[in-house]
Amino acid sequence: VTVAVIGSGPSGLYAVQALLDARADVAIHVFERERTPLGLVRFGVAPDHLKIRSMEDRLLAPLDDHRVTWHGGVEVGKHVAREDLADTYDAVVYATGAPLPRRLEVPGEDVPGVVHARDVIDWYNARPGRSSFVEHSAANDILVIGGGNVALDVARMLLRDKEELRTSDVPDDLLDHFDSVARRAVTIAVRRGSAATKFTAKELLEITTLKGVSVAADHGIQGPTGEADTVSARILAQLPTRHINADRRLTFVFDSVLERIDRHPSGRLRVAFRRDSGPTADDFDLVVGAVGYQRSAPWEYGRYWTDVEPLRSNEFLVGWAANGAQGLLAAARTSAATVASQVVQMLPHDRRASSLSDPEVLLAGRSDGHVTVAEWRVRDQHERQSGRRREARRIKLREYDEAPTGPQTLWRRPAQG
Ligand SMILES: Cc1cc2nc3c(=O)[nH]c(=O)nc-3n(C[C@H](O)[C@H](O)[C@H](O)COP(=O)(O)OP(=O)(O)OC[C@H]3O[C@@H](n4cnc5c(N)ncnc54)[C@H](O)[C@@H]3O)c2cc1C
């Protein structure tokens, strides 16, 4: 029996493993838009979260199975049509994530100097072709809008110093940026009170104990309100209200509703808030919106699959593609187990793997950036080897033209459009 899995982030890879475990005669073709597997474990999770990054070997294990072929640089909806997949395979599992950031929805959000957390995350995660944040990377006064862990990730990475990232996978040239800003103030503005944020205790402890960073909180005129009955709320309620003398500062501002952003001729951004004390405004060099990702079915955001049709009986959604941008790796694994068992139930009982269609035929002439698993492994090995000199798991290669020893043409830049 044949299954196509679209996307090789955690949900896709967990689904592949669950399908392999459930059906000995399954042949699985994985199609991945990026030229590397791992989805947000490579391009979302912060580089200083070494433990989560170390999950990658387990996640990648199913790609070693002879029943699986992985095809990078193949975007479903662009290089392969949804209909062709549904017609060709016994089942098609969409594990395409939820990549569209949610907008701030205030006047001024499109002025230069206002970016989305994804721009910062793509930059520090060395996502190919997505380094536009570099022009802002020396900003001193930064406002991050958001009350969840992504806001903490961005703030923490912007306050880290180079030494602390040496054993991470951040490329050498990018590492130098973390040393180039001597003085930096990051403010995290949250629309709710400190008792109602979505910050997790682990991430809060991490950011409030950063080396060389002074942390303070502004709870508004009423002080911390609401029941501080979670560990996170207690950590926030106990933060000092004033900074000690330090070159790097982090300030939490609660009960602060963003109203509008205006750009001065000088390039500074004036940001207006509504607070319990009345309207206020502050100036910043950069505003980062970290208010989450849109819930969108895979064929809605791609703009390639314009006909929004319901799922066919052999099409399935898993992970963030199914549930929206929520949940950690453990949730992706649970989702994958559930969906894999649904897939197995609908798969025919009597067909052999030999009936499988050749993905090369499906892909012929469609994607000049197509990367096979063997080609990806060359690059993967190069990354791991170069990590050794910094005691890092790997050091990421960013651009296509940085191809190491493998055949250069395999990593040529894909044609535009
Ligand atoms: C900034 C950030 C930090 C996070 N930090 C942590 C953390 O520290 N710990 C933790 O447990 N979780 C963390 N998470 C959550 C974790 O990343 C998610 O739970 C998990 O990645 C969801 O997996 P997924 O496979 O559903 O989606 P994704 O990881 O987004 O994978 C989707 C894959 O599909 C591919 N794809 C998309 N469209 C197509 C297409 N049309 N054709 C082919 N391929 C396609 C993408 O390239 C990608 O590889 C974080 C998330 C974010 C955003």
Side-chain angles (χ1 to χ4, degrees), residues 123-124 126 162 165-180 382-383 385-392 394-398 402:
W123 169 73
Y124 65 56
K162 182 176 170 175
L165 292 171
R166 190 163 287 283
T167 57
S168 78
D169 57 19
V170 166
D172 289 336
D173 63 311
L174 216 150
L175 201 56
D176 290 334
H177 280 271
F178 290 87
D179 239 9
S180 62
H382 180 85
E383 287 189 344
Q385 272 160 20
S386 46
R388 287 194 197 136
R389 67 183 154 78
R390 271 180 23 202
E391 291 175 40
R394 65 170 74 239
I395 295 175
K396 280 183 185 166
L397 287 168
R398 189 186 300 113
E402 282 175 307

Side-chain angles (χ1 to χ4, degrees), residues 14-235:
Y14 281 135
V16 171
Q17 187 61 62
L19 289 165
L20 291 173
D21 293 345
R23 265 309 273 259
D25 64 342
V26 73
I28 303 174
H29 299 161
V30 184
F31 297 103
E32 167 57 57
R33 182 176 54 185
E34 300 288 341
R35 291 160 162 237
T36 44
L38 289 168
L40 288 173
V41 168
R42 185 175 166 101
F43 292 131
V45 171
D48 59 346
H49 277 180
L50 301 179
K51 203 164 158 208
I52 300 289
R53 281 277 216 266
S54 71
M55 298 281 291
E56 63 179 49
D57 287 339
R58 255 176 71 195
L59 283 165
L60 291 169
L63 299 190
D64 291 334
D65 194 293
H66 70 279
R67 292 169 290 169
V68 179
T69 60
W70 177 88
H71 305 270
V74 178
E75 180 165 345
V76 170
K78 187 175 181 186
H79 304 117
V80 186
R82 177 186 169 198
E83 300 74 41
D84 288 347
L85 290 171
D87 291 344
T88 309
Y89 290 90
D90 292 319
V92 187
V93 179
Y94 285 95
T96 43
L100 268 195
R102 203 177 277 151
R103 288 173 57 83
L104 290 168
E105 306 292 353
V106 293
E109 92 163 284
D110 294 318
V111 301
V114 181
V115 301
H116 186 268
R118 190 178 65 170
D119 301 316
V120 192
I121 293 164
D122 283 348
W123 169 73
Y124 65 56
N125 273 323
R127 189 175 200 137
R130 298 286 284 276
S131 57
S132 63
F133 181 76
V134 72
E135 64 177 287
H136 304 293
S137 63
N140 294 118
D141 269 328
I142 303 173
L143 172 68
V144 180
I145 312 271
N149 282 346
V150 172
L152 295 186
D153 271 1
V154 166
R156 192 183 67 251
M157 283 299 293
L158 291 172
L159 288 164
R160 280 252 186 242
D161 78 38
K162 182 176 170 175
E163 279 315 306
E164 294 176 301
L165 292 171
R166 190 163 287 283
T167 57
S168 78
D169 57 19
V170 166
D172 289 336
D173 63 311
L174 216 150
L175 201 56
D176 290 334
H177 280 271
F178 290 87
D179 239 9
S180 62
V181 189
R183 197 191 65 77
R184 173 164 275 172
V186 176
T187 301
I188 300 182
V190 187
R191 59 184 299 134
R192 311 179 209 199
S194 58
T197 71
K198 292 185 182 161
F199 301 138
T200 57
K202 186 171 153 282
E203 300 250 346
L204 274 177
L205 282 174
E206 195 180 4
I207 202 168
T208 52
T209 53
L210 277 182
K211 207 173 101 198
V213 178
S214 163
V215 186
D218 173 350
H219 293 272
I221 47 175
Q222 293 176 33
T225 51
E227 286 299 305
D229 57 358
T230 63
V231 179
S232 299
R234 280 200 291 277
I235 295 170

Side-chain angles (χ1 to χ4, degrees), residues 15 18-19 22 316 334-347:
L19 289 165
F316 299 83
T334 309
S335 172
T338 309
V339 171
S341 69
Q342 290 164 0
V343 173
V344 169
Q345 275 172 30
M346 66 71 62
L347 283 175

Side-chain angles (χ1 to χ4, degrees), residues 311-354:
L311 289 178
R312 292 200 202 170
S313 60
N314 68 339
E315 290 178 319
F316 299 83
L317 300 179
V318 65
W320 278 22
N323 306 317
Q326 52 183 356
L328 299 175
L329 293 195
R333 189 173 187 173
T334 309
S335 172
T338 309
V339 171
S341 69
Q342 290 164 0
V343 173
V344 169
Q345 275 172 30
M346 66 71 62
L347 283 175
H349 292 289
D350 51 351
R351 262 198 271 169
R352 314 282 323 155
S354 57

